[in-house]
């Protein structure tokens, strides 16, 4: 029974330490949040939204280039 009690105390103590550490932010995390907030204020969108838009733009550019290549190949075959 004593082993169980000791194990329970260790488990509870470890859980409390883990939960206490979740709320604290380090200096790099705080700096990252400040940078994200600054980007949000300037652009009105977050970094993931901007990355998504960049991917969309790249996809459109790729489709346009593919069309132009297809038209060039069709023009050479005629």
């Amino acid at each position: 029974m004593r082993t169980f009690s000791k194990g329970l105390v260790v488990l509870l103590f470890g859980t409390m330490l883990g939960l206490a550490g979740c709320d604290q932010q380090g200096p790099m995390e705080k700096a990252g949040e400040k940078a994200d907030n600054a980007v949000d204020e300037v652009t009105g969108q977050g970094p993931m939204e901007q990355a998504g838009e960049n991917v969309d733009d790249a996809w459109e550019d790729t489709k346009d280039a593919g069309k132009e290549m297809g038209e060039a190949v069709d023009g050479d075959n005629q």
Side-chain angles (χ1 to χ4, degrees):
M1 190 71 167
R2 285 184 168 180
T3 304
F4 177 74
S5 297
K6 289 179 183 177
L8 185 61
V9 168
V10 168
L11 180 66
L12 289 174
F13 184 69
T15 302
M16 288 189 311
L17 278 177
L19 291 175
C22 290
D23 292 333
Q24 298 174 354
Q25 295 179 344
M28 294 304 290
E29 190 170 357
K30 289 178 185 177
E33 283 185 8
K34 286 181 182 178
D36 286 344
N37 291 338
V39 168
D40 286 344
E41 288 177 13
V42 171
T43 64
Q45 59 185 342
M48 293 306 290
E49 290 175 279
Q50 183 61 45
E53 287 184 10
N54 291 343
V55 169
D56 289 343
D57 291 344
W59 175 250
E60 290 298 322
D61 291 346
T62 302
K63 285 190 339 186
D64 292 344
K67 260 187 210 176
E68 290 175 10
M69 289 175 63
E71 291 170 357
V73 168
D74 288 342
D76 290 343
N77 290 335
Q78 293 178 358

